[in-house]
Amino acid sequence: MTVTPREYISQIDKSANYIRGIIGSAEIPGICTVLGSGLSPLADHCEDKITVPYADIPGFPISTVEGHEGKLIIGTLEGKRVFMMSGRFHAYEGYGTDVCTFYVRVMSKLGVKTLILTNAAGGISPELKPPELMIITDHIGFFCISPLIGPNLDEFGVRFPDQSEVYDSEYVSLLEDKAREAGIRIHKGVYAYCKGPQYETPAEIRALKLWGADAVGMSTVPEAIVAAHCGMRTAAVSCITNFAAGLNSGKLSHPEVMMNAARASDDSCRLVKLFISSLN
Ligand code: HPA
């Protein structure tokens, strides 16, 4: 943490108060969806939309990645009030994981109880073919510098939080049911976090496979750890945008990742919409 815990909490409060002010007398959403690669069209389905650039929110970092826009959308989707994060923060941009997860704590302060994380990932399991979707059931986060390092923020959660169900099992079942109902080919599996920005080497992928990873990516885990710390329920879906390094003859590239994320976009948006509509 580059600021003191007191400063960090005061920044969270400032951001939350600013967002509360923007919402005014309307209902504050209880759901936050992160629009990972390919999911930005979901914002077009949102009604009564207010869009707030991250740059306007005091304390908010600004995302620097192509395809990650950097704005908070507040609106109604499928009759539910939602926050949508169009753009997230990654450790490879040079942010500490406390900064990458700042928005999760802001959402917690605003009373959000459900976090929906989406991402692009490389497929390790032979079952996974781009551009299919995988519901994350668990993660391997050894390479993630824990966002909880430093003095514990007691008002959010305990010092040594349990991680036995970071991804809510009811949400996993609900996502699976909704995908099946909608005829979307779906998988479930374990997501391994690597910091990036370089893609993994084939040897790293073989090692991750031995550890039980089904897919690999550069986001989601820090946010899911903080959400679990705050007592939020997390649902997460990966769009498998490529075969992980060494699993086919081609080289990995960001344009390929973006192209497959776009190809999966319809299914990803439909699944998240169906999931949101069936939340209580
Ligand atoms: N590795 C890490 N992150 C990724 C990948 C990958 O293969 N594909 C999309 N994001």
Side-chain angles (χ1 to χ4, degrees):
M1 202 176 286
T2 45
V3 294
T4 66
R6 190 193 287 263
E7 282 163 349
Y8 185 72
I9 288 186
S10 138
Q11 281 180 0
I12 291 169
D13 285 334
K14 276 191 200 137
S15 288
N17 288 338
Y18 179 84
I19 295 166
R20 247 185 236 111
I22 298 244
I23 296 174
S25 57
E27 186 193 335
I28 298 181
I31 303 167
C32 174
T33 307
V34 175
L35 306 180
S37 309
L39 218 78
S40 14
L42 197 63
D44 302 335
H45 300 259
C46 208
E47 293 157 16
D48 308 322
K49 230 178 358 188
I50 307 175
T51 300
V52 191
Y54 292 162
D56 289 359
I57 308 174
F60 242 65
I62 297 166
S63 62
T64 62
V65 194
E66 191 195 328
H68 291 261
E69 289 181 61
K71 57 192 187 190
L72 173 68
I73 296 151
I74 307 158
T76 304
L77 185 73
E78 298 293 306
K80 305 269 162 46
R81 296 279 293 153
V82 289
F83 287 114
M84 289 185 182
M85 296 280 300
S86 181
R88 57 142 67 91
F89 311 99
H90 307 82
Y92 63 72
E93 292 172 80
Y95 297 119
T97 44
D98 55 326
V99 178
C100 298
T101 56
F102 179 84
Y103 81 87
V104 180
R105 289 182 167 127
V106 172
M107 291 295 143
S108 170
K109 262 286 160 89
L110 287 164
V112 167
K113 296 282 182 271
T114 298
L115 182 65
I116 306 169
L117 298 170
T118 61
N119 60 46
I124 298 178
S125 156
E127 305 287 309
L128 299 171
K129 313 264 184 306
E132 293 174 346
L133 302 180
M134 184 190 90
I135 303 164
I136 301 181
T137 55
D138 203 349
H139 70 226
I140 297 171
F142 296 143
F143 300 127
C144 175
I145 297 179
S146 173
L148 306 179
I149 284 177
N152 185 50
L153 305 180
D154 296 332
E155 66 181 274
F156 288 99
V158 297
R159 170 75 294 187
F160 299 108
D162 175 64
Q163 298 278 280
S164 46
E165 196 180 311
V166 173
Y167 304 90
D168 189 277
S169 58
E170 274 179 40
Y171 285 174
V172 169
S173 307
L174 192 56
L175 282 165
E176 203 177 4
D177 291 349
K178 293 294 144 193
R180 296 247 151 84
E181 274 169 42
I184 297 168
R185 194 170 155 73
I186 198 78
H187 301 271
K188 289 191 292 186
V190 173
Y191 174 95
Y193 173 89
C194 287
K195 281 194 282 293
Q198 74 285 1
Y199 292 111
E200 302 70 33
T201 64
E204 285 166 346
I205 294 300
R206 286 194 297 276
L208 290 173
K209 188 171 184 186
L210 286 175
W211 280 356
D214 297 297
V216 59
M218 304 174 195
S219 68
T220 300
V221 168
E223 293 134 285
I225 291 172
V226 167
H229 184 242
C230 298
M232 284 160 92
R233 297 175 73 185
T234 298
V237 179
S238 290
C239 168
I240 305 302
T241 51
N242 54 283
F243 293 100
L247 299 184
N248 71 354
S249 53
K251 292 197 170 178
L252 271 60
S253 76
H254 189 58
E256 180 200 3
V257 165
M258 297 306 284
M259 187 192 72
N260 278 324
R263 283 173 63 203
S265 181
D266 263 12
D267 282 353
S268 319
C269 290
R270 272 195 309 140
L271 180 57
V272 172
K273 266 173 75 172
L274 285 166
F275 176 72
I276 289 178
S277 73
S278 54
L279 288 174
N280 296 320

